[in-house]
Amino acid sequence: MMPFIDDSPSSSPHLSSKSRGSRDTLSSGSLESTKSSEPDLEKGLEMRKWVLSGILASEETYLSHLEALLLPMKPLKAAATTSQPVLTSQQIETIFFKVPELYEIHKEFYDGLFPRVQQWSHQQRVGDLFQKLASQLGVYRAFVDNYEVAMETAEKCCQANAQFAEISENLKARSTKESKDQTTKNSLETLLYKPVDRVTRSTLVLHDLLKHTPVSHPDHPLLQDALRISQNFLSSINEEITPRRQSMTVKKGEHRQLLKDSFMVELVEGARKLRHVFLFTDLFLCAKLKKQIGGKSQQYDCKWYIPLTDLSFQMVDESEAVPNIPLVPDEELDAMKIKISQIKNDIQREKRANKGSKVIERLKKKLSEQESLLLLMSPNMAFRVHNRNGKSYTFLISSDYERAEWRENIREQQKKCFKSFSLTSVELQMLTNSCVKLQTVHNIPLTINKEDDESPGLYGFLNVIVHSATGFKQSSNLYCTLEVDSFGYFVNKAKTRVYRDTTEPNWNEEFEIELEGSQTLRILCYEKCYNKTKLTKEDGESTDRIMGKGQIQLDPQALQDKDWQRTVISMNGVEVKLSVKFTSREFSLKRMPSRKQTGVFGVKIAIVTKRERSKVPYIVRQCVEEIERRGMEEVGIYRVSGVATDIQALKAAFDVNNKDVSVMMSEMDVNAIAGTLKLYFRELPEPLFTDELYPNFAEGIALSDPVAKESCMLNLLLSLPEPNLVTFLFLLDHLKRVAERESVNKMSLHNLATVFGPTLLRPSEKDSKIPANPTQPITMTDSWSLEVMSQVQVLLYFLQLETIPTPDSKRQSILFSTEV
C-alpha cells in the first residue's frame, strides 16, 4: 500500500524565500521551481508513467483484498436459506455492507487504466478515470458510517459461531501477478479495515500525478477537479475516521487510542534488540515484530508494558548502577556504510543491465540486512523508562530530539491518566494483535523501503544562519544546536554561542554544515544551566533544558536555487528564524584559483612556505597552537561547525598577514579556529596529497596484504613534495593528540579521519566520480560515497600508525618543522 499523505498543513514549515507560503504552496507538498526546461518536462512526463504503474500495482493489491472479503459471501448467503445457517441474511448484509459495490468501482477503474498504461505515450489521457473514481466516493461514506456496526456484528458472530470464527481468521487474498500462485492469510477484521484505510489515502495518488502532469496537459484540469472532490470528501470524513482508525475495544465505555509509535533499539542484558514501541493513551508498550512464516500476516509479540501512571524517567535508586552502553567502534559502522554503498551500486548496475529480478531481489535482501544492522548498531544515547514496581528499561536512540519528543508526549498524556491497572493475558493479546492494524510506522526506516524515485538525500554543504528567536516567557541563557541525518541517524553539527539573560536572543550566526545523504535539518533550543545544583537529573545524566525543537525537510527542488532562503520554525510557542543556502558537492569541491599571491588561502602550499621561510605554513601552526591551548576538551572539535562570519574574519586577517591575528583568535570560539584550519586545506588549489598521487593512495589502501599495503602507503607518503609532507606530519601529530582526549571531546581517530580525509585527499576534476550531468547538481551516486570513504580510510591508516619511518633527509626536515 502506498504511504498515507495527510493533506492538512504541515507542522514543520517548508523552506521558502518568503516567511510564510500561501496555502496553495503548502498543499503542494514541496516548493517547486517555476523554471522548467525541456529535459525537466520530459522527465516529468516519464515519471507520470511510473506513478501510474505504482497506482496499478496498488489497485491490484486492493482488489485482491476486496475479493478475499467477497469469497465467503456467496456460500454464507446460500447457507442462510438452509436449516443450518452460519449467519442470518441480515448479519451478512451488515458485515459485508457495500463491499461488492466497492469492488465493482475499483475493478472498472483498474480495467480502464491498465490498457492505457500498456499503450503508453506522453499524450495518453487518464484524468477522466480519476474524475469518475472521485465522483463515486459516496459509497465510502456509506461503508465508513456502517464500519463500527459491521465490526461489532462480526465480533458477536465469531463468539456465537465457531465455524464463522474459523472462516474469519483464515481469509485468503491472492498475491500480485508476479507471484500469482501464492496467497496471503488475513483476518476479517484486517480486511474490513482496508477500505477505511484506503479512503484516507485517496488524495495521495492525485498529489503525485498532478506533480508530474504539466499544466498544459489535457489531464491537468480533470485531475485538479478529482483532487478537489477527494480533499472535500476527506475533510468531511477525517474527523470520523481518525478515532476509528485508532480505537479498539477495551472495557465497556472506554476508549484506548494510539498516539505515537516507532522502531527503537532496546538494550537487553548488554545486547541491542530492535523493538517497535507504542504509546497509547494509557500505557507504553514495547513489542517485537515476529518473523513472518509461510504467508502469515504480520504479528507482534509483547515484551513488556507500563501503565502511564506508573512510568517515570527518574532513577528509582540514585545508587543503582547505570547500565553500561556497549559502543560499536566507528570503524565497524563505517565498514557497514561501505557495504551498503557497494550493494546499492550493484543494484543500480543490475537494473541498467536488465539482468532480471532474482539477482536484484538477492541484492536487496543483503542491503536490508546491512541497513538493519547499521540501524541497530549506530544509536548510543540512552532513553530510560522506569516502572514504579522497580523495573527499568533502556533504549538507545540517535539524538536528543527524539528523546525529548518521547518524553514530552508521555508527560503530556500522563496529565490525563489517574489510575494504575494490569491487563489480563487475553487483554494483552488483544492489545498486541491490534498493533498490526494501528501502527503508523509500517516499515523499518531503511532506504530499501523507499520508492525508487524518492530523494537519496543531499551531498554537499548547507550554510545555515540562525538569526533570532522569540516567544520565551522569561529571561534565560539560550543557545541552539543543529542536527542533520546521515545513513538513517542524526548527528549534532553546530552550536550557537550562549545568549545570556534574554527573552529575545539575536545570534545572527552562520554555520557551514556538511551533508552526507541528508534529508532533514533539525534545530534544538536549550537553556544553559550554570547553577550545578539546579541541573535536572534524567537517565542518570546532567543536562541543559530543551526549550523547543523543530525540523525542516531539505527539499532538493527548493534548494536548487543558489540564493539564501528564509524560514521560520515554530516550536512550543517559540519561533526561530533561519536562512539556508545549499552548495552541492561538485561545486563545493571545485578548486579555488590562486587569487592573490600575497595571501595564503587558495595559494599553493610551496609558495606560502617559501615566502614565509617556514616548513609549515604560519596559519596551520597558529590554528593548531590555539586549539591545543584551549580546544582539546571541546566536545566535537573539528566536527562541530564554527560561526562562518568568524571564520571569514580570520581568513581575511591571515590573507593580509594581520599582526593582530593571534589576539583575534584568543577571543574567538575555538570551533571557528578549527573551521578556519579546515577551510585552508579545502581551498588549496591542489589538495595536500596532490592530484598526481591521489589515485595511487586510493589503490594502495585497497591492498589486502598488510605488508604490501604498509610498504606502498609509506613510499607514496614520502613521495609527496617536502612542504606537503612536513605539513601533513605536523597535522597528523596534532590530530593524534586530539584523539588522546577522546573520552572528553568524543573525537576518535576515526571521527577525525572522517572530517579531514575528504579535505586532504581529493581527486582531480578529471578523475572525480562526481556525476557529470549538470542538470543533477544535488543528489550523488553511491560510487561517490565509496570514494569519500576511501579518502577516510587513507587518513585513518596513517593516524593508526604508531610511527612513520622516514629517510634521514626527510627526518631532518621534520625535526625542524615547528621552528621559525
Side-chain angles (χ1 to χ4, degrees), residues 139-197:
V139 180
Y140 277 97
R141 157 66 74 182
F143 181 90
V144 169
D145 286 345
N146 180 71
Y147 174 73
E148 209 158 289
V149 181
M151 292 303 299
E152 284 173 11
T153 306
E155 193 175 338
K156 285 175 186 171
C157 291
C158 284
Q159 290 167 355
N161 190 305
Q163 192 180 348
F164 181 66
E166 175 68 22
I167 291 168
S168 69
E169 279 303 311
N170 294 284
L171 297 174
K172 290 188 170 63
R174 64 179 171 79
S175 296
T176 53
K177 284 184 177 173
E178 284 131 25
S179 51
K180 57 174 95 167
D181 299 335
Q182 296 179 358
T183 56
T184 315
K185 195 162 77 170
N186 293 274
S187 68
L188 177 69
E189 183 186 25
T190 304
L191 291 174
L192 279 176
Y193 181 68
K194 296 293 180 185
V196 179
D197 198 38

Side-chain angles (χ1 to χ4, degrees), residues 338 341-342 345 585 589 694-695 698 701 757-758 761-771 780-794:
I338 290 172
S341 295
Q342 286 171 335
N345 252 3
R585 176 84 74 177
L589 289 187
Y694 173 76
I701 198 66
L761 294 104
R762 302 198 303 271
S764 62
E765 286 185 31
K766 65 182 177 65
D767 295 329
S768 174
K769 293 188 176 116
I770 295 169
M780 311 297 288
T781 62
D782 285 300
S783 59
W784 174 254
S785 301
L786 291 172
E787 189 162 65
V788 170
M789 287 172 186
S790 168
Q791 293 154 11
V792 171
Q793 292 300 315
V794 171

Side-chain angles (χ1 to χ4, degrees), residues 326-342:
L327 297 179
V328 180
D330 291 312
E331 292 84 339
E332 283 186 32
L333 296 177
D334 208 52
M336 290 177 210
K337 292 178 186 178
I338 290 172
K339 278 186 186 172
I340 289 168
S341 295
Q342 286 171 335

Side-chain angles (χ1 to χ4, degrees), residues 230-332:
S230 186
Q231 283 177 328
N232 288 343
F233 176 76
L234 194 58
S235 61
S236 73
I237 211 167
N238 241 348
E239 286 179 17
E240 300 165 37
I241 282 182
T242 302
R244 288 173 190 172
R245 190 180 172 95
Q246 296 181 325
S247 69
M248 59 184 156
T249 309
V250 285
K251 288 179 184 172
K252 200 164 180 71
E254 291 182 16
H255 250 11
R256 175 177 288 136
Q257 290 185 342
L258 177 67
L259 302 175
K260 181 180 174 67
D261 67 302
S262 84
F263 286 96
M264 230 184 264
V265 176
E266 186 184 12
L267 196 59
V268 184
E269 295 176 355
R272 293 166 177 257
K273 306 284 185 182
L274 191 64
R275 302 289 193 233
H276 201 151
V277 180
F278 296 84
L279 173 61
F280 290 95
T281 42
D282 60 345
L283 63 85
F284 184 79
L285 181 140
C286 175
K288 174 190 173 186
L289 188 60
K290 287 184 181 177
K291 283 188 177 175
Q292 290 176 259
I293 305 166
K296 278 191 179 179
S297 59
Q298 195 180 50
Q299 285 182 304
Y300 283 100
D301 178 20
C302 175
K303 303 309 290 183
W304 50 266
Y305 74 93
I306 307 176
L308 292 189
T309 44
D310 297 341
L311 187 151
S312 78
F313 302 110
Q314 302 299 321
M315 296 297 283
V316 177
D317 178 0
E318 287 297 329
S319 63
E320 182 184 336
V322 176
N324 186 38
I325 299 171
L327 297 179
V328 180
D330 291 312
E331 292 84 339
E332 283 186 32

Side-chain angles (χ1 to χ4, degrees), residues 730-779:
F730 179 80
L731 178 67
L732 195 71
D733 195 42
H734 163 65
L735 295 179
K736 285 182 179 182
R737 282 196 293 277
V738 172
E740 284 170 7
R741 308 278 185 90
E742 182 192 349
S743 60
V744 183
N745 62 33
K746 310 299 182 194
M747 293 301 289
S748 63
L749 290 174
H750 184 275
N751 286 340
L752 292 163
T754 303
V755 171
F756 276 95
T759 300
L760 304 180
L761 294 104
R762 302 198 303 271
S764 62
E765 286 185 31
K766 65 182 177 65
D767 295 329
S768 174
K769 293 188 176 116
I770 295 169
N773 183 356
T775 64
Q776 297 291 329
I778 288 182
T779 54

Side-chain angles (χ1 to χ4, degrees), residues 502-539:
T502 182
T503 55
E504 294 191 354
N506 278 289
W507 294 287
N508 287 316
E509 293 181 48
E510 183 185 336
F511 302 93
E512 185 177 75
I513 296 171
E514 189 166 4
L515 304 181
E516 299 170 291
S518 307
Q519 295 179 307
T520 307
L521 170 70
R522 286 176 170 176
I523 183 163
L524 295 99
C525 199
Y526 291 86
E527 178 189 6
K528 183 76 178 170
C529 192
Y530 291 106
N531 186 342
K532 299 296 177 189
T533 59
K534 287 186 180 177
L535 285 170
T536 55
K537 275 210 156 188
E538 283 180 345
D539 294 343

Side-chain angles (χ1 to χ4, degrees), residues 603-610 617 620 680-681 684-685 688 723-724 727:
V603 179
K604 286 182 180 178
I605 199 165
I607 294 173
V608 173
T609 51
K610 187 177 179 182
V620 177
Y680 168 73
F681 285 116
L684 285 173
L688 206 62
N724 299 51
T727 301

